Each structure stands twice: as C-alpha cells, then as structure tokens.
Amino acid sequence: MSDLILLDDELDEDCYRARLAASLMGVPVLLRAVDVIPGNEQDTLSFRALSPSGHLPALTGATDPADALPAICGAEAILLTFAALSADKAWQPSTPMETGAVAHWMTFASRDLRPAMRLRRKAMFGGDGDDCAWLSATHDAFRIMEDHMVLRRISGHGWFAGEAPTLADIALFPSFALCRDAGTEQDAYPTLRRWMRRVKTLPGFIAMPGIPDYG
Amino acid sequence: MQETNGHRVGGWQPLMLALDLPPLTVSGAQIGEQKLAVWRDSHGQVHASDDRCPHRGMRLSLGFVREDMLACLYHGWRFDESGHCRVIPAHPGVTPASTICVPVFPVAECMGLIWSRADGVATGAGPETEWRLPEGGSVTPVRTLTIKASLKTVMARLGATAGQSVRMLVTTGSGAVLPLLIVARPVGHDRTQCHLLLEGTVSQEDCEQAAFWAKDFRNTAERCDTGADYCV
Ligand code: FES
C-alpha cells in the first residue's frame, strides 16, 4: 500500500476527527493542508478529482485502483478505514451488539451533531444560517448523549459503546469538546464533561485549536 | 432563601453532584447573576471563586487545577483557595502583589451535593437546615438534570415547596419502591436544575430506574411549560 495522505483543514471539525482517529489508532498518515479559508481549494478541479463533492477530509492511499475510487471521503468513512488498517484490533467492534452501538453513535455524530458543527463554523468563519434552530438542536443532541452516559455511568461504564473507547467516542468527542467555540455552555452536561476528560487522557490523544489538551 | 426577582439569590444553593466534580477539575456554576468557578483540589476539598480572571477577564471555569491552585487558561495566573494570585508565569521570579485576587465564596459538601452561597451572609446554618435535608443516613446520587421549565412548574408537578428538598416514594413498573430525594433550584432563563438522589444505599437497578423516572419527569414538566427557549 502506498502512503496514506489525509487532505486536511486544520480548523475543520471533521478533519480533526480523522487526525484524532489516526493518532489514537497509531495509523501513520501524511497530512496535506487544503486551503479552504480563504482559498476555496476544495472547489478546484484537482481537489474535486479526488473528492467529487468537495468533501473534507479525504484520504488517499487506502483505495484499490480497481474500484475506481480516488479517495475515501468524509470523517465517518475514514474512521472506519483507519480502524480496519490499525494494528490495534481493539478498535474493531468485537460483538454484533457493539457493532450496532458503534454504528448508531457514528450515525448520530454525522446527523444529529451537524447543527453543532454548523454553529461553530458560523461563529468562527461567518456565513448564513439559523443560529437559534442550530443551538436548540445542539442542546437536544447533547441532552441525548448526557442521558445515555448517565445510564452508562450507573452501570459502571465510561464509554459510549462497549468496555473500551470505540469509534463512537472519537466521532462524538469533537463536537462536544469544541462547542465553546460557538459559545455553547457545557455546564449542563456534567457526565459528558467527565467523559471528555477521559478521552483527553487516552494514549495518542491530540488536541486541536479550541481544545486544550489538559484540564 | 428564595429568589428575589432574578438578581441576588440568598442562602445555600445546590450546584452539582459531588461525583460530577472529580479531584483536580474545575466547573462553572451560577447563582443568580453570580458566575462561579468551582474546583476540587488534590485533597478533595472544594473551592469556589468568582468566574472572572482579574488579569484580562477570562472565565476561570475554563481553566485547570495545578498544584492545588486554580489556573487561568489564558496566561496561566494561579489562584489559591483564598483567591490570592500566587503564580504569574510571565514573571516567574516575582511574588504577585497581595492585592491581586479573585473573590471567593463559601462551599459545603453535603448529601452528595456541592453547595455554595453568593449572598455574603454567614448564618452558621448549613444547607441541611435551610433545605430540610433528611437527617443522617447515606444517599446514592443519581444525576443532575436541567429541565426547560420554570421552578414553579416543576415544584407544582412534584407537589412540593420551592427552596426545600423533596422526599418522595415512587413505585416502578416492576414494583420496586424508590426513595427519591430531589433538590431543585432555578437556573438561567426559565429553567430548573434538579439534583436527583436516592436515600440509603441502593442497587444499581434502582439507580437506573430512578434515572428513567427522571427522564419521564422531565418530559412531563416540559410539556406543561413550553415557554423556555435557548435563544433569549
Ligand atoms: S486572563 Fe487570566 S491570566 Fe490572563
């Protein structure tokens, strides 16, 4: 296999998901910065040749020429790819139940946490959108996560699915950890805050601007 | 101890479950208009200060705990439990002037909860008396939940008086009887923070049942009070 190259935007939340996953799973990747702001490089023909919808992050070096896919696009897809590539098999769900729970929370991250990502993007880089609806949808999503983690704590667990950290935790973590960028308070989610600290202590954890790696 | 229309809230206020503030962590809380940074040192002691760094006004609750001091995230100034600034990283050799300090607030840890007060009153009476907490005995903390409904609505649903702890027995679907202890206070705009505990030492299953009860209760209370909104 050729080198894995992650087409990356340092301040983008989904790109951080992919970098964090690579680091936690010990998958070596080369980063190639895509100039999204202000360059709009994601709209250039050369980038669109790799990622037809202009989606970041994108990963090259992991596809089979036979399937005609130039790159794996999107955080969720890249997380799954890294788990399959990692020498550490603990990142692959071990039971059907765990597979289901991990898939559930990964879907939740890419669908229900979308408003939180949009809110942060708008707070940092401007743009249009209904802050009020996004904020309320963000709190709805965090509340669902908090309710879940309260029950997990009561049953003696510290992670979203399974006994150990999974792709679910990696997929969910950035939106909660970065929500202060958009001025969203974390105080109403004490159980998520403790889980967030737990994630920060994992071997291989890396921060991004907006997430202090201590505390 | 009742809220005097928004601003100064008197008496001991229940801020969070003790288990939600592990050693060496800090968390934000609010009593009326007063924002607090609440932190726990390595000996397990809890402290509370104003949530504003005297340097450039950064929120101290976004900081971290180092060497049993509350450190500001911005430039790392550190404050001890009396609120005095002890370390200024940009000037390592200099002892900070004793005038550099942040206001501190009294803290009590009792019944599995962390309490503080922002009214500057020292009555000598603890939260036990003010909130009529059950005497002695142990409690099992369940969770804190924020309900998008006014305290009035919540207390009406509980059939209880604001400013006092609520004890009630709830029978679950499986016939178990849960000895609930609820401590509720208003937070923010038309929202209520409820701390839910169980009296005595109870099984994991009862704890789970209590958490389910809490979710149902929140749903019902919010349905009666649709005025609360995040965008105010
Ligand atoms: S603002 Fe707190 S140290 Fe500068």
Side-chain angles (χ1 to χ4, degrees):
Chain A
M1 198 175 65
S2 52
D3 282 344
L4 294 171
I5 298 173
L6 186 69
L7 299 147
D8 176 51
D9 167 12
E10 198 195 7
L11 294 177
D12 178 81
E13 186 176 320
D14 271 335
C15 291
Y16 171 58
R17 282 187 167 80
R19 294 195 305 273
L20 175 63
S23 178
L24 289 171
M25 296 178 199
V27 175
V29 286
L30 301 170
L31 298 183
R32 188 176 65 78
V34 177
D35 179 15
V36 175
I37 294 171
N40 279 323
E41 195 188 333
Q42 75 280 10
D43 292 332
T44 58
L45 287 177
S46 58
F47 187 78
R48 291 285 173 136
L50 292 172
S51 176
S53 56
H55 227 79
L56 264 86
L59 179 75
T60 65
T63 48
D64 185 339
D67 64 19
L69 206 55
I72 309 283
C73 302
E76 206 176 338
I78 293 175
L79 258 55
L80 288 164
T81 309
F82 285 161
L85 290 169
S86 175
D88 184 353
K89 292 303 160 216
W91 289 103
Q92 294 195 32
S94 51
T95 63
M97 256 145 57
E98 198 182 309
T99 307
V102 169
H104 171 92
W105 287 111
M106 288 184 77
T107 307
F108 184 91
S110 60
R111 186 192 54 211
D112 300 63
L113 291 178
R114 190 57 51 190
M117 294 178 216
R118 295 206 168 116
L119 203 59
R120 172 178 172 274
R121 255 204 116 67
K122 188 178 166 198
M124 294 192 70
F125 308 111
D128 297 326
D130 184 352
D131 288 35
C132 210
W134 287 345
L135 183 62
S136 135
T138 299
H139 281 295
D140 289 348
F142 288 170
R143 174 185 269 199
I144 290 168
M145 290 164 63
E146 171 81 12
D147 284 353
H148 176 73
M149 287 307 280
V150 163
L151 288 169
R152 295 288 287 165
R153 161 170 60 67
I154 292 172
S155 65
H157 295 92
W159 305 103
F160 267 82
E163 303 290 321
T166 63
L167 296 181
D169 300 285
I170 304 180
L172 296 165
F173 172 83
S175 298
F176 187 69
L178 289 166
C179 72
R180 286 164 173 169
D181 282 350
T184 311
E185 293 282 340
Q186 296 176 341
D187 291 342
Y189 311 103
T191 319
L192 293 182
R193 252 194 347 228
R194 291 183 64 192
W195 160 76
M196 176 176 77
R197 292 197 187 98
R198 218 167 283 137
V199 173
K200 288 185 188 175
T201 60
L202 288 174
F205 175 80
I206 51 165
M208 80 166 268
I211 304 182
D213 51 4
Y214 43 77
Chain B
M1 88 168 53
Q2 288 317 303
E3 182 159 11
T4 49
N5 257 338
H7 299 280
R8 260 254 178 286
V9 177
W12 287 103
Q13 296 296 319
L15 304 183
M16 60 191 85
L17 296 185
L19 67 80
D20 281 330
L21 189 73
L24 308 180
T25 62
V26 54
S27 164
Q30 194 163 340
I31 300 179
E33 299 291 299
Q34 177 65 55
K35 293 198 162 144
L36 302 174
V38 187
W39 56 285
R40 196 189 284 279
D41 67 25
S42 64
H43 309 288
Q45 279 300 321
V46 181
H47 312 279
S49 75
D50 185 20
D51 195 13
R52 213 184 122 78
C53 179
H55 182 217
R56 293 276 177 80
M58 177 75 175
R59 287 180 56 190
L60 288 170
S61 60
L62 304 183
F64 50 99
V65 180
R66 277 295 172 284
E67 290 168 1
D68 286 338
M69 288 178 279
L70 178 59
C72 178
L73 185 63
Y74 213 174
H75 312 98
W77 288 22
R78 290 186 195 169
F79 304 89
D80 67 13
E81 76 268 8
S82 67
H84 286 98
C85 179
R86 295 291 177 204
V87 181
I88 296 181
H91 303 284
V94 177
T95 307
S98 63
T99 49
I100 307 179
C101 60
V102 51
V104 294
F105 298 90
V107 171
E109 192 170 335
C110 98
M111 280 284 155
L113 294 168
I114 294 171
W115 307 73
S116 184
R117 61 191 303 156
D119 55 1
V121 179
T123 59
E128 306 90 327
T129 328
E130 283 185 10
W131 287 76
R132 303 200 194 173
L133 295 170
E135 270 166 51
S138 60
V139 285
T140 308
V142 179
R143 71 170 296 186
T144 296
L145 68 166
T146 306
I147 302 179
K148 286 188 266 181
S150 69
L151 182 67
K152 203 167 148 241
T153 306
V154 170
M155 295 319 280
R157 297 242 31 120
L158 291 170
T161 318
Q164 291 178 10
S165 61
V166 183
R167 299 171 78 177
M168 57 193 278
L169 295 174
V170 167
T171 310
T172 67
S174 56
V177 178
L178 306 173
L180 300 184
L181 174 65
I182 299 164
V183 186
R185 66 176 189 123
V187 287
H189 174 80
D190 250 3
R191 258 172 284 170
T192 303
Q193 187 186 53
C194 273
H195 306 288
L196 175 67
L197 306 100
L198 285 160
E199 288 189 53
T201 313
V202 300
S203 68
Q204 178 183 315
E205 199 191 319
D206 284 358
C207 234
E208 272 163 15
Q209 289 304 320
F212 288 129
W213 176 87
K215 268 198 337 191
D216 287 346
F217 177 75
R218 184 181 64 197
N219 288 343
T220 341
E222 289 184 351
R223 244 165 244 154
C224 311
D225 185 331
T226 48
D229 197 339
Y230 284 109
C231 288
V232 191

